[in-house]
Amino acid sequence: MPTMDPNLTSFIEIEADSDFSIHNLPYGIFSLVRDGADDKSQRRAGVAIGDQVLDLALLEAEGLLNLTGGPYFNQPTLNDFIDSGRDNWTRARQSIQKLLSTDCDTLSGNPELLSKALFKQSEVRMHLPIQVPGYTDFYSSKEHATNVGTMFRDPANALLPNWAEMPVGYNGRASTVVVSGTDIIRPSGQLKPKADERPIFSPCRRLDFELETGFIVGQSNQMGHPIKVEDAWDHIFGMVLLNDWSARDIQKWEYVPLGPFNAKTFATQISPWIVTLDALAPFKTDCPPQDPKPLAYLCESTSTSSFDIELSVELLPEGAAEATPICHTNFKYMYWSMAQQLTHHTITGCKVEVGDIMGSGTISGPTPDTFGSMLELAWNATKPIALKGGQSRTFIEDGDTVIMKGFAQKDSIRIGFGEVRGKVLPALDFQFSD
Ligand code: MN
């Protein structure tokens, strides 16, 4: 794993609080606004650097990236590059880092090439960076699972007995994974507002976000052959921010006995930049202690298996002057590691694919301001959250925009995820007649 070199600097001017330092170099898929957003042939790979995007398709065509095989970057998704393997991930990262460094004049000394290779982020549109074969969502925050169990079931037995033995999860829908900036239509479905009456069909009245991260599978396995926990990190390419949009009232009525279905399938939203595990390596930290000790197939040789990533959520009502921060938490609170999640996912022989997204589960910490959903922040609608400008919320209303951010920082070195942002549109007007 590469380490962080604090003396590494870029010839590009980068603000000290930028998420996109030379230490980060996250991958995304972009097109130029001036080329029209809907022409897929214009989509290509880039890395974020400061407030700009470096065009990897151009650098690859110029033979500057030292890759084996390809071309990988003049494509509308990153799947082929990711599938090309860890050696190429390392080659690309080292090449890009060198090209952007003050020690190298290949780009900095070639103004003509530079002007064709760099674009302001304000001039590009970001797209879903991968074609997503599968999406799975875990439930790996002990605090979140305890909070939800307390509200939905029984405070005395909030955690079910299986929770501390395995990373509980469910298979979600890849078809509705969308990128930041996509509007989210309020879902309608079956709700049961009155315990002693039949359910009704209605727009969701308890629309919620879930603050999560997701990891991108970077290497597949053969069906029937689990990924061992000691090998699991080699199968992970990187991480994104993830908003697992949730319809709590639909969820509450439908989830017994098979878990979430309609409540979770209408939208899952990710940030456009994939931050690699290589960039995150210097920010590794311990997972919380695991008691009981997991079964052997889930035991990692080290507890330093989490990452110190600061996460936040802001809420911006339609027409409001500014967003209100409503949650600050940290990825390090997660009980199960990503390696344990991936190993458990495949332990029966399930095959995962390059580009699969594995959601962490809602990331809640120990105190009320670290809860990662409105359900918990407003405690099942009993404690409304005050917003700047005088409004308050118990759940997400039409016109609200939810913004999630994340970054890791050590001394003066910072890497970040940018943001995942989604605005809620009113439910469709269904005209049903009995
Ligand atoms: Mn979730």
Side-chain angles (χ1 to χ4, degrees):
M1 277 280 179
T3 52
M4 193 167 53
D5 173 6
N7 297 317
L8 184 65
T9 54
S10 176
F11 66 88
I12 291 172
E13 208 168 298
I14 300 168
E15 302 281 337
D17 64 349
S18 171
D19 281 352
F20 306 123
S21 66
I22 194 169
H23 305 282
N24 191 355
L25 307 177
Y27 295 94
I29 294 291
F30 75 99
S31 59
L32 295 177
V33 172
R34 67 173 188 240
D35 288 338
D38 295 327
D39 183 353
K40 269 201 177 178
S41 71
Q42 297 294 330
R43 295 186 190 181
R44 53 205 189 265
V47 298
I49 181 79
D51 62 358
Q52 303 186 79
V53 178
L54 183 67
D55 187 336
L56 296 182
L58 178 69
L59 298 189
E60 185 181 29
E62 295 284 330
L64 295 173
L65 295 183
N66 191 30
L67 301 178
T68 305
Y72 301 109
F73 290 134
N74 195 13
Q75 298 198 37
T77 70
L78 289 164
N79 294 59
D80 282 355
F81 168 62
I82 296 171
D83 197 26
S84 76
R86 177 167 290 281
D87 275 359
N88 259 348
W89 309 348
T90 304
R91 285 162 178 266
R93 180 172 172 80
Q94 287 174 349
S95 303
I96 297 162
Q97 208 158 46
K98 181 154 184 245
L99 286 166
L100 289 170
S101 76
T102 39
D103 301 336
C104 173
D105 63 1
T106 306
L107 276 182
S108 62
N110 188 339
E112 197 192 332
L113 180 59
L114 198 56
S115 70
K116 286 192 284 184
L118 272 180
F119 303 101
K120 288 274 183 201
Q121 284 177 21
S122 57
E123 294 171 351
V124 308
R125 174 161 167 185
M126 300 305 298
H127 305 278
L128 197 63
I130 36 181
Q131 189 269 321
V132 185
Y135 162 56
T136 298
D137 196 32
F138 286 93
Y139 192 53
S140 291
S141 156
K142 191 174 197 172
E143 291 83 357
H144 172 70
T146 303
N147 288 338
V148 174
T150 299
M151 281 183 270
F152 273 29
R153 278 194 317 274
D154 174 11
N157 297 291
L159 273 190
L160 290 171
N162 61 3
W163 193 90
E165 297 287 359
M166 68 173 91
V168 169
Y170 66 94
N171 288 298
R173 288 294 298 176
S175 56
T176 31
V177 175
V178 294
V179 75
S180 176
T182 308
D183 291 336
I184 307 299
I185 297 172
R186 177 179 297 272
S188 294
Q190 280 203 22
L191 330 176
K192 199 163 182 298
K194 294 187 177 145
D196 54 354
E197 293 180 12
R198 288 188 60 200
I200 59 170
F201 177 82
S202 164
C204 166
R205 298 167 181 177
R206 297 196 153 197
L207 183 61
D208 203 353
F209 60 81
E210 291 190 339
L211 170 60
E212 304 193 15
T213 58
F215 69 81
I216 312 296
V217 171
Q219 190 188 339
S220 187
N221 63 313
Q222 193 186 340
M223 182 176 166
H225 296 263
I227 296 170
K228 293 177 187 161
V229 75
E230 63 265 29
D231 298 333
W233 290 108
D234 289 336
H235 288 258
I236 299 174
F237 177 69
M239 292 175 72
V240 290
L241 299 173
L242 187 150
N243 182 353
D244 180 29
W245 290 95
S246 298
R248 297 297 178 201
D249 36 13
I250 295 173
Q251 183 181 0
K252 191 174 194 318
W253 166 229
E254 77 174 359
Y255 88 105
V256 180
L258 283 183
F261 187 51
N262 285 329
K264 302 281 194 170
T265 52
F266 60 95
T268 304
Q269 198 162 30
I270 64 169
S271 52
W273 296 109
I274 303 174
V275 178
T276 62
L277 284 194
D278 283 348
L280 284 162
F283 304 97
K284 274 210 155 184
T285 191
D286 283 353
C287 282
Q290 295 185 326
D291 181 25
K293 187 180 177 199
L295 298 183
Y297 80 94
L298 288 171
C299 271
E300 289 192 85
S301 58
T302 171
S303 61
T304 310
S305 205
S306 191
F307 295 90
D308 185 355
I309 304 169
E310 300 276 347
L311 299 163
S312 65
V313 183
E314 297 170 16
L315 194 55
L316 177 67
E318 180 103 75
E322 58 179 329
T324 303
I326 57 174
C327 160
H328 284 100
T329 189
N330 195 300
F331 181 81
K332 70 184 177 187
Y333 296 129
M334 299 307 282
Y335 186 88
W336 296 102
S337 76
M338 293 186 280
Q340 289 174 319
Q341 290 173 333
L342 186 56
T343 291
H344 184 66
H345 201 318
T346 62
I347 194 61
T348 54
C350 172
K351 177 177 165 65
V352 294
E353 310 259 21
V354 169
D356 279 355
I357 297 185
M358 307 287 167
S360 58
T362 307
I363 301 169
S364 293
T367 56
D369 59 322
T370 62
F371 294 167
S373 68
M374 285 301 284
L375 177 70
E376 297 162 88
L377 289 164
W379 205 255
N380 207 12
T382 62
K383 296 179 182 169
I385 303 290
L387 303 180
K388 291 174 184 172
Q391 297 190 51
S392 69
R393 289 288 182 277
T394 53
F395 285 100
I396 303 302
E397 297 189 2
D398 291 347
D400 287 355
T401 297
V402 175
I403 305 151
M404 297 175 175
K405 298 177 181 173
F407 69 92
Q409 184 146 7
K410 209 178 233 178
D411 304 322
S412 64
I413 293 180
R414 174 178 165 125
I415 69 168
F417 289 78
E419 62 178 33
V420 56
R421 169 187 292 257
K423 180 180 176 177
V424 173
L425 303 184
L428 300 183
D429 184 17
F430 292 101
Q431 301 288 337
F432 291 124
S433 55
D434 293 324

PDB file of all heavy atoms in Angstrom, residues 186-189 191 200-206 249-250 426-428 430:
ATOM      1  N   ARG A 186     -40.926  11.363  -5.078  1.00  0.00           N
ATOM      2  CA  ARG A 186     -41.467  10.741  -3.861  1.00  0.00           C
ATOM      3  C   ARG A 186     -42.231   9.465  -4.236  1.00  0.00           C
ATOM      4  O   ARG A 186     -43.106   9.491  -5.099  1.00  0.00           O
ATOM      5  CB  ARG A 186     -42.395  11.725  -3.149  1.00  0.00           C
ATOM      6  CG  ARG A 186     -43.079  11.138  -1.894  1.00  0.00           C
ATOM      7  CD  ARG A 186     -43.960  12.169  -1.216  1.00  0.00           C
ATOM      8  NE  ARG A 186     -43.157  13.291  -0.747  1.00  0.00           N
ATOM      9  CZ  ARG A 186     -42.547  13.364   0.439  1.00  0.00           C
ATOM     10  NH1 ARG A 186     -42.688  12.376   1.298  1.00  0.00           N
ATOM     11  NH2 ARG A 186     -41.812  14.410   0.762  1.00  0.00           N
ATOM     12  N   PRO A 187     -41.888   8.343  -3.596  1.00  0.00           N
ATOM     13  CA  PRO A 187     -42.571   7.092  -3.953  1.00  0.00           C
ATOM     14  C   PRO A 187     -43.977   7.018  -3.353  1.00  0.00           C
ATOM     15  O   PRO A 187     -44.248   7.663  -2.339  1.00  0.00           O
ATOM     16  CB  PRO A 187     -41.670   6.027  -3.332  1.00  0.00           C
ATOM     17  CG  PRO A 187     -41.044   6.715  -2.154  1.00  0.00           C
ATOM     18  CD  PRO A 187     -40.865   8.155  -2.558  1.00  0.00           C
ATOM     19  N   SER A 188     -44.827   6.239  -4.004  1.00  0.00           N
ATOM     20  CA  SER A 188     -46.131   5.886  -3.439  1.00  0.00           C
ATOM     21  C   SER A 188     -46.169   4.384  -3.215  1.00  0.00           C
ATOM     22  O   SER A 188     -45.466   3.627  -3.890  1.00  0.00           O
ATOM     23  CB  SER A 188     -47.256   6.282  -4.395  1.00  0.00           C
ATOM     24  OG  SER A 188     -47.317   7.696  -4.530  1.00  0.00           O
ATOM     25  N   GLY A 189     -47.003   3.951  -2.306  1.00  0.00           N
ATOM     26  CA  GLY A 189     -47.093   2.518  -2.052  1.00  0.00           C
ATOM     27  C   GLY A 189     -48.083   2.229  -0.950  1.00  0.00           C
ATOM     28  O   GLY A 189     -48.931   3.060  -0.632  1.00  0.00           O
ATOM     29  N   LEU A 191     -49.242   1.859   2.703  1.00  0.00           N
ATOM     30  CA  LEU A 191     -48.964   2.309   4.068  1.00  0.00           C
ATOM     31  C   LEU A 191     -50.094   1.791   4.958  1.00  0.00           C
ATOM     32  O   LEU A 191     -51.202   1.563   4.502  1.00  0.00           O
ATOM     33  CB  LEU A 191     -48.945   3.840   4.198  1.00  0.00           C
ATOM     34  CG  LEU A 191     -48.533   4.706   3.027  1.00  0.00           C
ATOM     35  CD1 LEU A 191     -48.704   6.183   3.400  1.00  0.00           C
ATOM     36  CD2 LEU A 191     -47.093   4.421   2.670  1.00  0.00           C
ATOM     37  N   ILE A 200     -53.618   1.519   3.089  1.00  0.00           N
ATOM     38  CA  ILE A 200     -54.048   2.431   2.028  1.00  0.00           C
ATOM     39  C   ILE A 200     -52.935   2.544   0.999  1.00  0.00           C
ATOM     40  O   ILE A 200     -51.771   2.230   1.286  1.00  0.00           O
ATOM     41  CB  ILE A 200     -54.378   3.840   2.586  1.00  0.00           C
ATOM     42  CG1 ILE A 200     -53.132   4.438   3.279  1.00  0.00           C
ATOM     43  CG2 ILE A 200     -55.555   3.764   3.554  1.00  0.00           C
ATOM     44  CD1 ILE A 200     -53.281   5.901   3.646  1.00  0.00           C
ATOM     45  N   PHE A 201     -53.283   2.990  -0.217  1.00  0.00           N
ATOM     46  CA  PHE A 201     -52.282   3.364  -1.208  1.00  0.00           C
ATOM     47  C   PHE A 201     -52.118   4.879  -1.147  1.00  0.00           C
ATOM     48  O   PHE A 201     -53.100   5.615  -1.257  1.00  0.00           O
ATOM     49  CB  PHE A 201     -52.716   2.928  -2.605  1.00  0.00           C
ATOM     50  CG  PHE A 201     -51.734   3.353  -3.675  1.00  0.00           C
ATOM     51  CD1 PHE A 201     -50.594   2.609  -3.922  1.00  0.00           C
ATOM     52  CD2 PHE A 201     -51.934   4.527  -4.395  1.00  0.00           C
ATOM     53  CE1 PHE A 201     -49.680   3.017  -4.883  1.00  0.00           C
ATOM     54  CE2 PHE A 201     -51.020   4.939  -5.357  1.00  0.00           C
ATOM     55  CZ  PHE A 201     -49.891   4.175  -5.602  1.00  0.00           C
ATOM     56  N   SER A 202     -50.887   5.334  -0.998  1.00  0.00           N
ATOM     57  CA  SER A 202     -50.686   6.769  -0.770  1.00  0.00           C
ATOM     58  C   SER A 202     -49.245   7.134  -1.073  1.00  0.00           C
ATOM     59  O   SER A 202     -48.355   6.283  -1.000  1.00  0.00           O
ATOM     60  CB  SER A 202     -50.981   7.078   0.707  1.00  0.00           C
ATOM     61  OG  SER A 202     -50.453   8.343   1.077  1.00  0.00           O
ATOM     62  N   PRO A 203     -49.008   8.417  -1.405  1.00  0.00           N
ATOM     63  CA  PRO A 203     -47.616   8.862  -1.404  1.00  0.00           C
ATOM     64  C   PRO A 203     -46.997   8.624  -0.028  1.00  0.00           C
ATOM     65  O   PRO A 203     -47.676   8.769   0.989  1.00  0.00           O
ATOM     66  CB  PRO A 203     -47.716  10.365  -1.701  1.00  0.00           C
ATOM     67  CG  PRO A 203     -49.018  10.528  -2.409  1.00  0.00           C
ATOM     68  CD  PRO A 203     -49.938   9.489  -1.801  1.00  0.00           C
ATOM     69  N   CYS A 204     -45.730   8.244  -0.035  1.00  0.00           N
ATOM     70  CA  CYS A 204     -44.986   8.073   1.216  1.00  0.00           C
ATOM     71  C   CYS A 204     -45.099   9.343   2.062  1.00  0.00           C
ATOM     72  O   CYS A 204     -44.932  10.448   1.561  1.00  0.00           O
ATOM     73  CB  CYS A 204     -43.519   7.778   0.879  1.00  0.00           C
ATOM     74  SG  CYS A 204     -42.393   7.931   2.252  1.00  0.00           S
ATOM     75  N   ARG A 205     -45.394   9.166   3.335  1.00  0.00           N
ATOM     76  CA  ARG A 205     -45.485  10.312   4.243  1.00  0.00           C
ATOM     77  C   ARG A 205     -44.262  10.404   5.142  1.00  0.00           C
ATOM     78  O   ARG A 205     -44.141  11.340   5.939  1.00  0.00           O
ATOM     79  CB  ARG A 205     -46.742  10.169   5.113  1.00  0.00           C
ATOM     80  CG  ARG A 205     -48.033  10.176   4.293  1.00  0.00           C
ATOM     81  CD  ARG A 205     -49.225   9.709   5.123  1.00  0.00           C
ATOM     82  NE  ARG A 205     -50.443   9.694   4.297  1.00  0.00           N
ATOM     83  CZ  ARG A 205     -51.626   9.274   4.726  1.00  0.00           C
ATOM     84  NH1 ARG A 205     -51.756   8.829   5.988  1.00  0.00           N
ATOM     85  NH2 ARG A 205     -52.666   9.287   3.922  1.00  0.00           N
ATOM     86  N   ARG A 206     -43.420   9.411   5.100  1.00  0.00           N
ATOM     87  CA  ARG A 206     -42.235   9.397   5.966  1.00  0.00           C
ATOM     88  C   ARG A 206     -40.987   9.090   5.125  1.00  0.00           C
ATOM     89  O   ARG A 206     -40.335   8.057   5.297  1.00  0.00           O
ATOM     90  CB  ARG A 206     -42.415   8.378   7.086  1.00  0.00           C
ATOM     91  CG  ARG A 206     -43.577   8.748   8.001  1.00  0.00           C
ATOM     92  CD  ARG A 206     -43.560   8.007   9.304  1.00  0.00           C
ATOM     93  NE  ARG A 206     -44.233   8.784  10.338  1.00  0.00           N
ATOM     94  CZ  ARG A 206     -44.127   8.576  11.644  1.00  0.00           C
ATOM     95  NH1 ARG A 206     -43.373   7.591  12.087  1.00  0.00           N
ATOM     96  NH2 ARG A 206     -44.746   9.357  12.508  1.00  0.00           N
ATOM     97  N   ASP A 249     -42.636   4.559   6.108  1.00  0.00           N
ATOM     98  CA  ASP A 249     -43.985   4.028   6.367  1.00  0.00           C
ATOM     99  C   ASP A 249     -44.243   2.784   5.513  1.00  0.00           C
ATOM    100  O   ASP A 249     -44.863   1.823   5.970  1.00  0.00           O
ATOM    101  CB  ASP A 249     -45.072   5.097   6.164  1.00  0.00           C
ATOM    102  CG  ASP A 249     -44.780   6.052   5.020  1.00  0.00           C
ATOM    103  OD1 ASP A 249     -43.866   5.778   4.213  1.00  0.00           O
ATOM    104  OD2 ASP A 249     -45.484   7.079   4.920  1.00  0.00           O
ATOM    105  N   ILE A 250     -43.748   2.788   4.280  1.00  0.00           N
ATOM    106  CA  ILE A 250     -43.852   1.584   3.446  1.00  0.00           C
ATOM    107  C   ILE A 250     -43.049   0.461   4.099  1.00  0.00           C
ATOM    108  O   ILE A 250     -43.509  -0.677   4.218  1.00  0.00           O
ATOM    109  CB  ILE A 250     -43.337   1.875   2.016  1.00  0.00           C
ATOM    110  CG1 ILE A 250     -44.246   2.915   1.333  1.00  0.00           C
ATOM    111  CG2 ILE A 250     -43.268   0.587   1.191  1.00  0.00           C
ATOM    112  CD1 ILE A 250     -43.729   3.393  -0.022  1.00  0.00           C
ATOM    113  N   PRO A 426     -42.432  16.078  -5.932  1.00  0.00           N
ATOM    114  CA  PRO A 426     -43.703  15.527  -5.438  1.00  0.00           C
ATOM    115  C   PRO A 426     -44.020  14.175  -6.068  1.00  0.00           C
ATOM    116  O   PRO A 426     -43.585  13.863  -7.178  1.00  0.00           O
ATOM    117  CB  PRO A 426     -44.734  16.577  -5.876  1.00  0.00           C
ATOM    118  CG  PRO A 426     -43.959  17.817  -6.140  1.00  0.00           C
ATOM    119  CD  PRO A 426     -42.592  17.388  -6.560  1.00  0.00           C
ATOM    120  N   ALA A 427     -44.820  13.390  -5.344  1.00  0.00           N
ATOM    121  CA  ALA A 427     -45.266  12.088  -5.875  1.00  0.00           C
ATOM    122  C   ALA A 427     -46.060  12.285  -7.154  1.00  0.00           C
ATOM    123  O   ALA A 427     -46.679  13.331  -7.366  1.00  0.00           O
ATOM    124  CB  ALA A 427     -46.128  11.388  -4.814  1.00  0.00           C
ATOM    125  N   LEU A 428     -46.044  11.274  -8.024  1.00  0.00           N
ATOM    126  CA  LEU A 428     -46.882  11.302  -9.216  1.00  0.00           C
ATOM    127  C   LEU A 428     -48.349  11.271  -8.788  1.00  0.00           C
ATOM    128  O   LEU A 428     -48.695  10.730  -7.738  1.00  0.00           O
ATOM    129  CB  LEU A 428     -46.574  10.089 -10.105  1.00  0.00           C
ATOM    130  CG  LEU A 428     -45.133   9.995 -10.612  1.00  0.00           C
ATOM    131  CD1 LEU A 428     -44.993   8.782 -11.538  1.00  0.00           C
ATOM    132  CD2 LEU A 428     -44.694  11.268 -11.328  1.00  0.00           C
ATOM    133  N   PHE A 430     -51.395   9.648  -9.104  1.00  0.00           N
ATOM    134  CA  PHE A 430     -52.091   8.432  -9.545  1.00  0.00           C
ATOM    135  C   PHE A 430     -53.594   8.637  -9.457  1.00  0.00           C
ATOM    136  O   PHE A 430     -54.101   9.164  -8.474  1.00  0.00           O
ATOM    137  CB  PHE A 430     -51.698   7.235  -8.664  1.00  0.00           C
ATOM    138  CG  PHE A 430     -50.268   6.817  -8.835  1.00  0.00           C
ATOM    139  CD1 PHE A 430     -49.315   7.199  -7.904  1.00  0.00           C
ATOM    140  CD2 PHE A 430     -49.883   6.049  -9.912  1.00  0.00           C
ATOM    141  CE1 PHE A 430     -47.993   6.804  -8.043  1.00  0.00           C
ATOM    142  CE2 PHE A 430     -48.554   5.647 -10.055  1.00  0.00           C
ATOM    143  CZ  PHE A 430     -47.617   6.031  -9.123  1.00  0.00           C
TER     144      PHE A 430
END
